[in-house]
């Protein structure tokens, strides 16, 4: 029995075909463009999402069959970016470009919602602090600036709902995507009446919300033809990509912690209850039946990439050379805020800094200090989680930094956590595929799915003296941070 795991992301879509043991038998990827229009506007075409789904599924099926595998594909599971929204008519046709989660055009509308509902109240309801990037503010922007679009609008879908519609003919969301839109109350499990009243809309303009892994429906005839699949294929509801990555990394039990290391680093902990904090850790409904809590380091992978490009270097050489510079970097510190200081500082205006360099240092000393600075920021986040009573057992590490032995080791020594690196890098797709297998009844629950599909390797940290070394250096980092923040 085979399923397709889709990941419809911000810059591209990945499809994989997986079996119930978590083996990836075929896969494909297709990129699409972000459109930067100035004035904080970042949009894209929803048609590109569907075109990429069609392309990647067809390529994956073709690869599978060329390998001589004629097993039946039974289901599709979906992972998507969150809070990228558009307006559609009743036939699912886009009426405007997608306003992505990176878009900040709706600043005035967010300010209005702050007055009408309250910034902290929105956080309490949805688990996400009120921002111009949230769909609540963007709906107001469309009402104000695109009245002709509003007249024709049958639904305001985000990525998951748009894809579900084109697969099955139904606009359907899940709690993780609904919440990040800043329209859904995670305590009541419903679209929030007070927020909708402030927007001047009703639930009729929003999709139905069902749990991740619940059946949305069978493929429509049109979708089946486009994808080269049978109309018997069942589409199971998806979730926000970070929650899918958590499933695909095995972060399903309380105390598990996903560390997703991309352009930004995302920390997602599994909790027993909704976790609210003064600095806005984002609580949510975990697909496994418990809760999640998310925080982001916006200057993480982007910081090292920026530095790598600045010195016209490459990551492999930086790893090799930086590994040799442990002791000589002892008093060198990088505060890696190339895109502002994310959680827990929440200072988007904050710039980066290098402190302690001298004539003995070269570009690879600074490269190592960048890695350490991001790891120190990750420890800051984990300490915030721990301060709220969350016991952190281990880190499931995915993404670009997990492919670096050195950076992974630095994270382990700095945080003091056990680090597990995933053998299958496409964790969002694995999580989406797992949800389909759970929906089909192949696994009783996500714990059983985790045991069958997730393969990871514990990072061996065999230099115990480095825990003390990094404890001392981290304490100095926090001392310096208090002076520059």
């Amino acid at each position: 029995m085979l399923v397709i795991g889709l990941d419809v992301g911000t810059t591209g879509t990945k499809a994989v075909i997986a079996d119930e043991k978590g083996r990836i038998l075929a896969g494909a990827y297709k990129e699409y463009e972000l459109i930067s229009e100035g004035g904080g506007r970042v949009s894209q075409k929803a048609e590109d999402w569907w075109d990429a789904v069609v392309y990647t599924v067809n390529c994956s099926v073709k690869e599978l069959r060329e390998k001589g595998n004629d097993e039946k594909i039974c289901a599709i599971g979906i992972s998507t970016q969150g809070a990228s929204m558009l307006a559609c008519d009743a036939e699912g046709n886009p009426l405007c470009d997608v306003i992505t989660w990176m878009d900040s055009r709706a600043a005035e509308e967010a300010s209005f919602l702050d007055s009408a509902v309250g910034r902290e109240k929105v956080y309490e309801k949805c688990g996400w602090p009120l921002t111009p990037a949230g769909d609540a503010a963007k709906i107001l922007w469309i009402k104000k600036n695109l009245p002709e679009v509003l007249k024709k609008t049958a639904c305001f879908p985000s990525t998951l709902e748009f894809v579900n519609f084109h697969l099955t003919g139904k606009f359907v969301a899940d709690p993780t995507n609904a919440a990040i839109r800043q329209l859904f109350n995670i305590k009541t499990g419903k679209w929030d009446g007070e927020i909708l009243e402030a927007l001047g809309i009703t639930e009729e303009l929003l999709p139905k919300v069902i749990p991740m892994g619940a059946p949305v429906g069978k493929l429509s005839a049109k979708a089946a033809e486009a994808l080269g699949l049978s109309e018997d294929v069942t589409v199971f509801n998806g979730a926000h990509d970070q929650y899918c990555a958590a499933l695909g990394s095995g972060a399903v039990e309380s105390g598990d912690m996903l560390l997703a290391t991309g352009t930004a680093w995302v920390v997602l902990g599994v909790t027993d209850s909704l976790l609210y904090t003064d600095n806005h850790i984002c609580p949510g409904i975990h697909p496994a039946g418990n809760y999640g809590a998310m925080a982001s380091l916006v200057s993480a992978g982007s910081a090292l990439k920026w530095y790598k490009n600045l010195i016209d270097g490459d990551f492999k050489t930086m790893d090799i050379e930086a590994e040799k510079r442990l002791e000589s970097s002892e008093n060198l510190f990088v505060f890696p805020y190339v895109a502002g200081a994310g959680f827990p500082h929440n200072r988007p205006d904050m710039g980066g800094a290098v402190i302690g360099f001298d004539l003995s240092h070269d570009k690879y000393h600074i490269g190592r200090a960048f890695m350490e600075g991001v790891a120190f920021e990750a420890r800051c986040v984990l300490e915030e989680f721990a301060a709220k009573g969350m016991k952190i057992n281990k880190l499931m590490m995915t993404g670009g930094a997990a492919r670096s032995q050195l950076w992974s080791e630095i994270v382990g020594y700095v945080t003091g956590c056990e680090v597990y690196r995933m053998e299958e890098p496409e964790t969002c797709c694995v999580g989406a595929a797992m949800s389909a297998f759970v929906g089909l009844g192949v696994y009783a629950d996500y714990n059983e799915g985790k045991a069958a599909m997730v393969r990871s390797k514990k990072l061996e940290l065999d230099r115990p003296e480095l825990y003390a070394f990094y404890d001392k250096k981290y304490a100095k980092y926090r001392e310096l941070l208090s002076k520059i923040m």
Side-chain angles (χ1 to χ4, degrees):
M1 183 181 293
L2 305 179
V3 303
I4 293 173
L6 280 174
D7 178 30
V8 186
T10 302
T11 57
T13 288
K14 176 80 176 183
V16 304
I17 300 175
D19 65 14
E20 61 267 32
K21 295 182 180 180
R23 293 177 296 198
I24 304 303
L25 306 178
Y29 177 75
K30 185 175 183 181
E31 291 186 354
Y32 31 75
E33 290 186 2
L34 288 167
I35 306 165
S36 297
E37 305 169 90
R41 299 187 180 200
V42 185
S43 61
Q44 59 188 182
K45 302 288 186 182
E47 297 93 333
D48 290 345
W49 296 341
W50 179 243
D51 289 346
V53 168
V54 172
Y55 174 85
T56 56
V57 169
N58 275 281
C59 288
S60 299
V61 173
K62 181 181 179 182
E63 180 188 349
L64 182 76
R65 302 310 181 207
E66 287 177 346
K67 292 178 177 177
N69 189 323
D70 59 358
E71 288 183 78
K72 183 179 180 181
I73 295 172
C74 298
I76 297 174
I78 309 167
S79 161
T80 67
Q81 60 172 306
S84 289
M85 186 205 80
L86 70 153
C88 285
D89 64 19
E91 285 73 45
N93 299 308
L95 299 172
C96 63
D97 285 350
V98 175
I99 308 176
T100 72
W101 59 269
M102 295 171 284
D103 194 288
S104 60
R105 74 182 71 179
E108 289 184 9
E109 289 74 18
S111 180
F112 168 79
L113 288 170
D114 188 10
S115 301
V117 181
R119 188 173 303 273
E120 290 303 312
K121 201 170 185 181
V122 170
Y123 172 58
E124 287 290 326
K125 289 171 179 288
C126 304
W128 293 86
L130 178 63
T131 70
D135 291 352
K138 291 185 289 196
I139 287 173
L140 281 180
W141 186 91
I142 288 175
K143 289 184 67 177
K144 177 181 177 181
N145 295 280
L146 302 174
E148 294 305 313
V149 166
L150 184 66
K151 290 178 183 178
K152 301 175 184 177
T153 299
C155 187
F156 289 110
S158 62
T159 312
L160 175 63
E161 300 93 83
F162 184 85
V163 173
N164 273 336
F165 183 90
H166 282 268
L167 290 171
T168 68
K170 300 174 185 177
F171 286 117
V172 174
D174 86 295
T176 63
N177 275 295
I180 197 173
R181 304 187 69 184
Q182 297 168 15
L183 297 165
F184 183 79
N185 193 312
I186 57 177
K187 295 178 180 178
T188 66
K190 299 178 180 179
W191 297 114
D192 189 81
E194 184 178 9
I195 295 175
L196 298 193
E197 183 177 355
L199 299 179
I201 66 170
T202 63
E203 289 186 16
E204 283 69 29
L205 289 176
L206 296 173
K208 181 180 179 182
V209 181
I210 63 175
M212 182 189 191
V216 178
K218 300 289 188 180
L219 285 179
S220 67
K222 183 177 180 180
E225 181 180 5
L227 299 175
L229 298 173
S230 166
E231 291 179 44
D232 290 334
V233 171
T234 302
V235 177
F236 290 97
N237 201 27
H240 183 265
D241 51 15
Q242 296 301 339
Y243 279 92
C244 288
L247 292 176
S249 303
V252 299
E253 298 177 341
S254 294
D256 289 344
M257 183 74 74
L258 169 70
L259 179 60
T261 64
T263 301
W265 284 18
V266 174
V267 179
L268 192 156
V270 186
T271 61
D272 290 321
S273 60
L274 293 172
L275 181 63
Y276 293 93
T277 65
D278 292 340
N279 48 18
H280 298 150
I281 288 175
C282 297
I285 310 300
H286 194 291
N290 39 23
Y291 301 93
M294 285 177 57
S296 295
L297 307 177
V298 295
S299 297
S302 59
L304 193 66
K305 183 177 181 180
W306 171 82
Y307 182 68
K308 183 263 295 182
N309 292 340
L310 183 70
I311 64 172
D312 194 26
D314 65 87
F315 289 127
K316 182 177 180 180
T317 303
M318 190 178 299
D319 267 13
I320 293 170
E321 295 299 324
E323 187 174 12
K324 305 172 185 176
R325 288 160 169 79
L326 171 67
E327 289 81 6
S328 53
S329 295
E330 182 176 1
N331 296 307
L332 177 63
F333 297 85
V334 168
F335 298 85
Y337 309 136
V338 297
F343 186 89
H345 318 299
N346 298 323
R347 285 282 307 276
D349 60 317
M350 185 76 180
V354 182
I355 296 176
F357 65 93
D358 58 35
L359 290 173
S360 69
H361 294 125
D362 62 17
K363 58 187 177 181
Y364 298 116
H365 286 97
I366 296 175
R368 183 183 184 105
F370 262 99
M371 295 182 194
E372 293 173 342
V374 175
F376 291 150
E377 291 294 315
R379 179 166 169 175
C380 289
V381 174
L382 296 180
E383 288 178 347
E384 291 290 325
F385 277 82
K388 297 301 177 180
M390 181 178 175
K391 183 180 179 181
I392 302 167
N393 299 325
K394 52 192 176 183
L395 293 178
M396 284 76 162
M397 194 169 173
T398 69
R403 293 191 286 272
S404 164
Q405 180 74 15
L406 174 62
W407 210 353
S408 299
E409 289 177 357
I410 289 172
V411 168
Y413 288 122
V414 167
T415 64
C417 295
E418 292 183 352
V419 174
Y420 291 80
R421 295 190 290 178
M422 300 303 110
E423 294 182 14
E424 171 50 58
E426 302 298 341
T427 52
C428 291
C429 290
V430 171
M434 190 188 299
S435 74
F437 280 124
V438 172
L440 288 168
V442 174
Y443 311 128
D445 54 29
Y446 287 106
N447 272 302
E448 191 174 315
K450 165 188 172 179
M453 296 186 70
V454 177
R455 287 181 293 279
S456 61
K457 186 173 183 180
K458 183 179 177 181
L459 184 67
E460 296 300 324
L461 299 173
D462 53 7
R463 297 185 63 185
E465 72 277 7
L466 292 188
Y467 291 108
F469 175 88
Y470 276 118
D471 275 345
K472 181 179 178 181
K473 188 165 185 178
Y474 176 68
K476 181 65 174 178
Y477 182 89
R478 292 302 298 258
E479 179 187 344
L480 293 169
L481 181 61
S482 68
K483 294 177 180 178
I484 67 173
M485 184 64 70

